[in-house]
Each structure stands twice: as C-alpha cells, then as structure tokens.
Amino acid sequence: MSSRTDQTESRNDSSGDHLPDQREGGAVAEADDPFADPGLPPHEPRRQDIDERAARRSERTVAFLFTLSMLATVGFIASYVAIPIDEIVFIWPFGHISGLNFALGLTLGLALFCIGAGAIHWARTLMSDEEVAEERHAVEATPEVKAHVLEEFAKGAAESQIGRRKLARNTLLGALGLVPLAGVVLLRDLGPLPEDKLHHTAWQEGSLIINEATLQPLRPEDITVGSLTQAMPEGLDPHAENFHAEIAKAAVMLVRLEPEDIKDPRSAEWGHEGILCYSKICTHIGCPATLYEQQSHHALCPCHQSTFDLADGAKVLFGPAGHPLPQLRITVNDEGFLQALGDFEEPPGPSFWERG
Amino acid sequence: MKKLSVRRRHPLAALVVLLLALAATGGLYATLAPADEAQAEASAQSLAIEEGKKLYDVGCSSCHGSGGQGSSDGPSLTGVGAAAVDFQVGTGRMPLQQPGPQAEEKPVVYTQAEIDQLAAYVASLGPGPSVPNESAYDPSAGDAARGGELFRTNCSQCHNFTGQGGALTHGKEAPALDNVDPRYIYEAMVTGPASMPSFPNSTLPEEEKQDIIAWLHAVNTADSPSPGGLGLGGFGPVSEGLFAWTFGMGALIAVAVWIGARTAKARKS
C-alpha cells in the first residue's frame, strides 16, 4: 500500500480510533485543519517505468505511428501524381466526389494526425512524468532596485536639461505631434469619394426595360399577373467593365398585380396597368430582395428576411430594412415597349449617412 | 378488251370485281379519312372532357366549385390550363389532404389517363398553358452553364443555389428540386403553383426553361458529382457551422481530454 493511501486513511478514518474516549464538559478535540494543502500526491510509477518490455512496446507503438505518417505522406504524393483532377468516384456516404480531393485529404490528415498521436503517446508513456511543483515568486521589484531606477531616471532627466532647455523641448513635442498627420493624410487614398453616384443610376427618361433572361425589351403583354421578371435598363452590356457597378444600383424586378389589389394609389399611378417596377436591391444591406410570394404580393430578402409589400408601395412589413424599395415610374412608348419615366426618386439600396 | 369481255362469265370474275370494288372503297376512304380522323379526335377530346368533368365533380368540385369558378376553400381554375392540373395532380399536391400553409407533395391518387382527362376538362374552362411536349424539357438538349446563370437570377432566391429549397413565410416553403421530373419543373415555371411566381414563355422562353432544367439535372440528381462531398444539405454556413461546432469542436475537446488524462499507473491501490 502506498504512502499516499496511508495519509488518506489517517485523515478520513471513520473507525473512531482518533476520537476522544469520552465527552468532557463541552471540550472538543482539536481536529486537523480541514483546509490544509494536501500537497502533491506521491509519485506512482507507470508500467513502462518498471517493465522494460512494456517500455519497448510503447516505443514500437510510437514508431508505428510515425511510420504510418511517413507512408501517408508518400501516399499523398503518389495520389497527387496518379489521380486525375477530374476523376469522380462514388464513396459512401459522401456520394459522387472528386477522388483526388478525397485521397489528398485522407492521406495528409493521416500523416499529420499520426505525428501528433505518436508524440502524445511518447510523452504519456516514455517521457518522465515526475510531478514537479514550482513556487510562484513576487512580481514586485525589491525596494532597493526601485530606488536605484528612480534615482537613475532623475539623474538622466537633469543631465539632458529637458527642464531648462524649453525651446528644444517644445519643438520636440511639436514635431512628435505633427508626424502622425502624415499617416492620416494617406487615408485619403482609401478610395475616391462617392460624390453623388449613390443618388443616380443608369435609368433615364425613355430607357427601355430590358428582360435579363432574353436581353430583349419588355412589352406590357409579356408580363402576366403572378409572374416575376428580372430586368435592367437598356444600354448596359453584361460584358462591359462597369456592368457590375451599374447593375448593382439599377437592377429591377417587374410584377403584375390585378389593379384592384394595389393599395397605394401613387404606386398604381407609377406603374402601367398593374405592372409595377421596383428596385430589387434590399434597402438593408443590398441583397437582391426578389423572393416574391405571388399570392400575398410580398417580396422577401433571402439574407435577413426583410419583407416588402409590393401591393402597398413596397412598404416594409418585417425585418431590418429601413426604407421601402424605390419604385421606378414606367409607361409604354409609341412602339408598345415599356420604358422608364426617369431615374428613381430616391437612392436605391442600403441607407448611407448622406441619404437623408 | 375482247379477252376481258369474253371472260366476264368466268367463275372467278365475281371475285375480281369484288377485289376492285374493295380497292376503290379503300382509296375513297383514304382520301376522305383526314376529316373523319379530325372528327374522331374531336370526339375523343370531348369524351376526355366529359370523363374529366365526372372526375372533377367527385374529386375537386367541393373546393374549386361546380364549374371551376373557385370558392372560399379553393382558387378559380379558369385559365390555369392543363399544365397546372398535370403538375398539381401529377405530383400528388392535389387533391388536398388537409388545409394548411401549402399543398404538400404526396403519393399520386389518379392514373395518368385520369389526370389527362381532368386536365382536358380544366383546359376547356379557359385558355391556359398546355402540357409541354417532351422535347421542350429534355435536359440533354439544354445549355447547363446558361441555365445556371438563369437559375441564379430567377430561382435561387427561394430554391437555393443548387435547388436545395428553402423556407418562406408562415410555414410555406420552396421545395427542394432534387430528382423532380423535368416535366414538372417545366410546368411549375409556366404555371407558378402556390406562392411561386410564374415565368411565362413571354419573359422566359422555352429554350431558357430547358437550360434551367439541364442545369438542375447537372447539379441536383443523385448521380450529380459534388467534388467536395458531404454537402450537408447545401444550406451554406448554417449547417456547415453547426457541423464544425458540434463534431469538429467535440472531437478536439475529446482529444484534449485524452492528452491531459492521468496516465495508466503500474499498480492500482
């Protein structure tokens, strides 16, 4: 039986040997301090510490893990060379996956895991596991050291004449104060100011409304009740350099409602025979809010579920959006095509400081 | 000519005349046949409408009204077209099992012949989209890359980027599109079932619908390759994060516990 167990038993012995023989006038026997630091448990050797055969077995296990890691690394290189990048294999339960991805991930994962597992097994079974306690020492310096440092500092300050040479001192402070301004000025290079770009889009009076699916101008008879059409202004080339900057502001969706379902008279007037054209850029943070439920006339944004009632001027019914979706005023030109009557009345998309 | 008249009393003369008469009748029939066939088709059509009306009266009229005019329990069917019937009944959504946010897909109740009859009847109520020809929705004829672009612009907001589906409001949902018959995808686009807006051929032409179907076929069937594997539903960061935090972190904690655990001692007291 180890010494640790002896101690434990002497403290927790409930056999009654350490109790006084009898009670005497309220006097209580002095018990051991229950909060005393029990100290470290006595060291117990592991099997590998005693039995050299067990230690060798541990060594072989560690070596096996490291060897496995080496083989896995070789397998990684081999599969990189051997497996074509577009080969699709069926592996349960992943389905039809890239054979190369699977082989690379498996072998590299195994190689790294085996190095770690081998190191841990080595440390736990073969490296010394003697417990060692190291006492903390005070953080504070000794009074002598403190006094010496303060004395040296005062001496240095006096010798530099910083108190006496006021001109040198004040110009130094001025120089140090101005230097950071150089960095502040460079912040200007973060980009050109937006100017009024956020207030204007590619829509102009007379812009035809181009169907994004066919790239053809839309006619009112194309748009049936209950349908949803994604559109953009004419003159945008999907392959042009500025296309994404322009479509990010100008993208619209067209829906057609039964005229009696439109609750907002201004919205009905801005449309054409029940065809309403709204900006599809969510006024929260600019996702395309085109999740259109044609029965309820609600358009949702798939990012944060802002809900706009397209029958009521795209009023916000729910969610974090701060403004209704701006509506584009449309009409029909002489040739029977839908066209815009001008740009949006307010900036489309998310709010910004100067939006008003 | 003499020879022929001489043989007019030959025992086989009657047979020859009979054959000639039959051939003449056949020829006459062939020239008159188109009109007859059209008549036959028209009568088959009216028969289908009649049969469809009988099925309709039994299975549909309690909600959609005796003449398809609709009621407080179901919308009007005037002008929804045969395609809407083929989709709703062919996928088991109709007849409705119970009132709820949305008609659920379930085992089909009618045979295809009965569905065709119902569709013929409903199509007779008003003009609407008809059931498409197979050539219109054959995935192998579409351009999958173009379809992917169209899908992301027009469909992904509800059905997710690879058609995994998603939630709508008040318990409604956009269903997942994996392994849906291309015909039903086409019909859903044309008719706009339930909350879904329609995408009529005037704004999304037939070829583009075919491209979308080709794309879904390329990314969303059981055989579609998924190079990464284990898509976790394709829902993006939600399911991936949940997996990483529960299984990934769980495994790391288990390993950390193992590293810090007391080693096995030579003797146990």
Side-chain angles (χ1 to χ4, degrees), chain A residues 48 57-58 61-62 65 116-126, chain B residues 258:
Chain A
Q48 288 85 349
R57 216 161 37 235
S58 277
T61 308
V62 172
L65 286 166
I120 300 281
H121 193 67
W122 185 355
R124 283 169 57 87
T125 57
L126 293 174
Chain B
W258 170 62

Side-chain angles (χ1 to χ4, degrees), chain B residues 33-213:
Chain B
D36 288 352
E37 226 168 55
Q39 263 178 17
E41 204 169 76
S43 68
Q45 185 70 9
S46 61
L47 191 70
I49 293 174
E50 214 172 285
E51 289 298 313
K53 165 80 174 146
K54 284 180 197 160
L55 289 166
Y56 177 89
D57 286 342
V58 175
C60 322
S61 60
S62 57
C63 298
H64 291 292
S66 55
Q69 76 276 27
S71 76
S72 58
D73 294 326
S76 161
L77 298 185
T78 312
V80 299
V85 179
D86 194 55
F87 174 83
Q88 297 280 0
V89 185
T91 59
R93 286 176 165 81
M94 288 290 145
L96 201 60
Q97 197 167 35
Q98 58 195 17
Q102 186 170 323
E104 297 293 334
E105 196 180 347
K106 56 183 186 297
V108 182
V109 180
Y110 294 96
T111 64
Q112 188 58 47
E114 289 171 328
I115 294 170
D116 292 343
Q117 290 167 348
L118 271 174
Y121 170 65
V122 171
S124 74
L125 299 175
S130 54
V131 177
N133 291 324
E134 199 174 338
S135 60
Y137 54 77
D138 178 13
S140 58
D143 174 357
R146 170 100 181 105
E149 267 173 46
L150 290 164
F151 189 90
R152 286 187 288 277
T153 307
N154 292 289
C155 322
S156 64
Q157 62 266 43
C158 304
H159 289 288
N160 210 326
F161 300 102
T162 53
Q164 302 285 351
L168 302 177
T169 56
H170 301 289
K172 291 170 284 186
E173 54 153 12
L177 304 179
D178 31 353
N179 297 322
V180 177
D181 188 323
R183 184 172 88 199
Y184 297 133
I185 298 179
Y186 188 99
E187 287 170 350
M189 286 191 273
V190 175
T191 61
S195 292
M196 177 169 163
S198 60
F199 296 88
N201 288 347
S202 53
T203 54
L204 192 72
E206 259 184 38
E207 313 83 73
E208 312 211 322
K209 290 191 172 70
Q210 194 159 28
D211 292 345
I212 289 176
I213 289 167

Side-chain angles (χ1 to χ4, degrees), chain A residues 1-2 4-5 41 43-48 50 88 90 93-98 101-102 113 116-117 120-121 123-125 129 131 211-215 218 221-230 280 288 290-296 298 300 302 307, chain B residues 75 101 146 150 152-159 167-170 172-174 190-205 208 221-231 255 257-269:
Chain A
M1 193 168 278
S2 72
R4 176 179 177 245
T5 326
H43 178 67
E44 284 177 69
R46 295 164 303 192
R47 187 154 184 198
Q48 288 85 349
I50 302 164
I88 298 291
F90 180 83
F94 307 111
H96 298 270
I97 61 170
S98 155
N101 273 3
F102 184 75
F113 178 81
I120 300 281
H121 193 67
R124 283 169 57 87
T125 57
D129 72 339
E131 295 87 351
N211 182 352
E212 263 199 70
T214 59
L215 301 181
L218 281 162
E221 58 268 27
D222 295 340
I223 298 169
T224 56
V225 172
S227 69
L228 171 70
T229 310
Q230 321 282 341
K280 69 175 181 185
T290 53
L291 205 161
Y292 176 53
E293 296 183 350
Q294 57 106 348
Q295 287 172 327
S296 58
H298 294 172
L300 281 82
T307 307
Chain B
R146 170 100 181 105
L150 290 164
R152 286 187 288 277
T153 307
N154 292 289
C155 322
S156 64
Q157 62 266 43
C158 304
H159 289 288
L168 302 177
T169 56
H170 301 289
K172 291 170 284 186
E173 54 153 12
V190 175
T191 61
S195 292
M196 177 169 163
S198 60
F199 296 88
N201 288 347
S202 53
T203 54
L204 192 72
E208 312 211 322
T221 61
D223 300 328
S224 304
S226 157
L230 209 64
V255 169
V257 166
W258 170 62
I259 292 173
R262 261 172 72 84
T263 47
K265 300 299 177 193
R267 290 182 298 171
K268 283 180 181 160
S269 51

Side-chain angles (χ1 to χ4, degrees), chain A residues 71-124:
Chain A
L71 291 177
T73 304
V74 173
F76 178 88
I77 297 167
S79 37
Y80 183 85
V81 173
I83 303 177
I85 194 166
D86 52 358
E87 183 167 314
I88 298 291
V89 293
F90 180 83
I91 294 171
W92 189 90
F94 307 111
H96 298 270
I97 61 170
S98 155
L100 183 62
N101 273 3
F102 184 75
L104 293 183
L106 192 72
T107 49
L108 189 61
L110 194 66
L112 292 171
F113 178 81
C114 286
I115 292 175
I120 300 281
H121 193 67
W122 185 355
R124 283 169 57 87

Side-chain angles (χ1 to χ4, degrees), chain B residues 18-45:
Chain B
L18 188 64
L19 281 172
L20 282 172
L22 276 175
T25 316
L28 270 176
Y29 179 79
T31 50
L32 296 174
D36 288 352
E37 226 168 55
Q39 263 178 17
E41 204 169 76
S43 68
Q45 185 70 9

